[in-house]
């Protein structure tokens, strides 16, 4: 079943086109990732889905509802954790959850949610005294307190230390296992690859590709590289004559073969025919970072808060 459908979405701010004909669907129960450079239109897209912005054209269906026309009903079914969320410094964890739960007709048990997200011990702690990871867990809890069918999570681990990021990933996996559909916007390729069932790459306000993480990597992996040392002298032409091979380089006794198609099998077969053993063999593995560069022409960019955390 389709939980979310975006068709030909278009949004302009003055002369700047932020979203230009974006289309994708999200199935019930999946984690759908959105990645792309800064300014690509990711946040405008999810804010339009949440009914926080009105598109200039196109259509959005959230569980069959229009986020503008059916705003009240959509808010009952959609939980949102935005990139920047602020709460009163003095509000306590339990107070925030109890207050937000009162906004919904059929809220989740906020005490159980607090326990599930590891916040019970902080129930009487003021927001300003929470750590970065605890603030993120509270933000996620508030996105889930309405008992939503879909949760939008925008840059949920920006600014967190590596351990807090991994704890948050485990939390999102547990949320997914309860059947909640998740729309995940992130700058972190490892996060998108671990959590997402499918990913949309958005660049320049357009969808550049939609596929599984492995599918995106495969699409960008037309060129492969194999590195090894040889057990005995080898005529370079044994490999350069292979149809799958583009280039062969030899540096300090180490061979680097670049090619396409069934490169590894071709190289292994050619070496076996001349009774040469490939020692210390390594196949360079492509990653989602490589796919990101292939589709956008740019390396992934971190928000400033993420840079500070990584540094």
């Amino acid at each position: 079943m389709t939980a979310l459908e975006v068709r030909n979405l278009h949004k302009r701010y003055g002369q700047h086109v932020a979203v230009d004909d974006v289309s994708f669907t999200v199935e019930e129960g999946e984690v759908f990732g959105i990645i792309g450079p800064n300014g690509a239109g990711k946040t405008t897209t999810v804010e339009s889905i949440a009914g926080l912005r009105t598109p200039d054209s196109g259509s959005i269906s959230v569980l069959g509802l229009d986020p503008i026309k059916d705003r009240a009903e959509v808010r009952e079914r959609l939980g949102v954790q935005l990139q920047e969320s602020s709460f009163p410094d003095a509000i306590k964890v339990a107070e925030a959850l109890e207050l937000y739960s009162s906004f919904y007709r059929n809220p989740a048990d906020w005490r159980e949610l607090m326990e599930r997200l590891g916040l019970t011990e902080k129930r009487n702690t003021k927001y300003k005294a929470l750590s970065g990871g605890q603030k993120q867990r509270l933000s996620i809890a508030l996105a889930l307190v309405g008992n939503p069918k879909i949760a939008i999570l925008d840059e949920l681990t920006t600014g967190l230390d590596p351990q807090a990021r991994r704890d948050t990933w485990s939390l999102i996996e547990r949320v997914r296992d309860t059947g909640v559909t998740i729309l995940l916007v992130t700058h972190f390729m490892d996060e998108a690859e671990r959590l997402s069932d499918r990913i949309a790459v958005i660049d320049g306000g357009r969808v550049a590709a939609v596929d599984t993480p492995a599918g995106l990597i495969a699409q960008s992996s037309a060129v492969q590289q194999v590195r090894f040392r040889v057990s005995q002298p080898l005529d370079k032409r044994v490999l350069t004559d292979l149809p799958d091979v583009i280039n062969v380089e030899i540096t300090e006794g180490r061979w680097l073969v670049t090619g396409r198609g069934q490169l590894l099998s071709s190289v292994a077969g050619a070496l076996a025919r001349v009774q040469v053993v490939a020692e210390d063999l390594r196949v360079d593995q492509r990653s989602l970072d490589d796919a990101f560069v292939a589709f956008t022409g740019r390396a992934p960019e971190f928000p400033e808060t993420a840079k500070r955390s990584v540094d």
Side-chain angles (χ1 to χ4, degrees):
M1 297 290 291
T2 299
L4 173 65
E5 184 174 18
V6 178
R7 285 281 173 258
N8 308 114
L9 188 67
H10 188 97
K11 180 66 179 179
R12 177 191 295 269
Y13 301 105
Q15 297 301 310
H16 173 64
V17 177
V19 179
D20 187 11
D21 202 37
V22 164
S23 298
F24 59 83
T25 59
V26 179
E27 301 304 313
E28 285 189 4
E30 79 170 330
V31 178
F32 188 88
I34 297 180
I35 60 176
N38 289 329
K42 306 183 300 296
T43 295
T44 295
T45 297
V46 297
E47 288 181 349
S48 297
I49 292 169
L52 301 175
R53 296 191 183 274
T54 303
D56 297 326
S57 61
S59 65
I60 301 172
S61 173
V62 179
L63 298 169
L65 301 169
D66 184 295
I68 299 299
K69 296 178 182 178
D70 307 309
R71 189 185 305 269
E73 287 300 315
V74 167
R75 286 182 176 175
E76 287 287 330
R77 294 167 169 79
L78 185 70
V80 182
Q81 180 262 332
L82 294 176
Q83 185 172 348
E84 294 185 7
S85 301
S86 60
F87 304 97
D89 284 345
I91 195 168
K92 297 177 181 179
V93 168
E95 291 173 341
L97 284 165
E98 185 175 17
L99 174 64
Y100 272 62
S101 71
S102 70
F103 299 157
Y104 299 95
R105 292 196 301 262
N106 183 34
D109 183 333
W110 63 265
R111 296 171 185 82
E112 180 182 333
L113 192 59
M114 185 169 58
E115 176 68 26
R116 183 150 53 100
L117 299 188
L119 291 169
T120 300
E121 291 185 359
K122 299 294 181 179
R123 60 177 296 134
N124 293 318
T125 302
K126 294 179 180 179
Y127 181 76
K128 67 178 181 181
L130 297 175
S131 69
Q134 291 161 355
K135 287 179 178 178
Q136 287 295 67
R137 290 207 299 273
L138 176 58
S139 185
I140 294 167
L142 295 174
L144 299 176
V145 75
N147 214 10
K149 299 295 184 183
I150 302 174
I152 295 176
L153 304 176
D154 190 359
E155 303 294 354
L156 78 163
T157 63
T158 294
L160 301 186
D161 62 58
Q163 186 57 54
R165 288 182 65 221
R166 283 164 176 76
D167 291 344
T168 304
W169 293 350
S170 297
L171 169 61
I172 297 310
E173 289 170 336
R174 294 198 299 272
V175 171
R176 176 197 58 199
D177 291 343
T178 66
V180 176
T181 302
I182 297 174
L183 188 63
L184 175 70
V185 182
T186 182
H187 278 83
F188 297 106
M189 297 302 104
D190 54 348
E191 181 168 283
E193 187 168 0
R194 169 168 167 168
L195 296 177
S196 303
D197 297 302
R198 291 186 301 134
I199 297 173
V201 183
I202 296 182
D203 186 31
R206 288 179 168 269
V207 175
V210 178
D211 207 333
T212 63
L216 291 176
I217 294 169
Q219 287 184 51
S220 68
S221 299
V223 177
Q224 308 161 42
Q225 291 186 320
V226 178
R227 302 173 188 267
F228 55 88
R229 297 182 185 276
V230 294
S231 60
Q232 60 191 54
L234 174 67
D235 186 340
K236 191 174 181 180
R237 289 175 297 179
V238 171
L239 299 180
T240 56
D241 289 345
L242 295 173
D244 289 334
V245 171
I246 299 172
N247 186 50
V248 177
E249 298 177 17
I250 307 170
T251 305
E252 297 181 351
R254 188 162 188 82
W255 291 60
L256 172 62
V257 182
T258 303
R260 300 186 178 88
Q262 301 298 316
L263 179 65
L264 180 59
S265 297
S266 296
V267 169
L271 294 178
R273 285 192 292 273
V274 295
Q275 298 183 328
V276 171
V277 176
E279 299 174 342
D280 193 20
L281 177 68
R282 189 180 77 188
V283 179
D284 287 354
Q285 296 295 319
R286 307 289 283 182
S287 68
L288 195 57
D289 290 80
D290 298 315
F292 185 98
V293 173
F295 288 115
T296 69
R298 285 166 282 183
E301 302 161 305
F302 293 136
E304 288 303 315
T305 50
K307 288 180 183 177
R308 289 195 293 271
S309 173
V310 172
D311 294 344

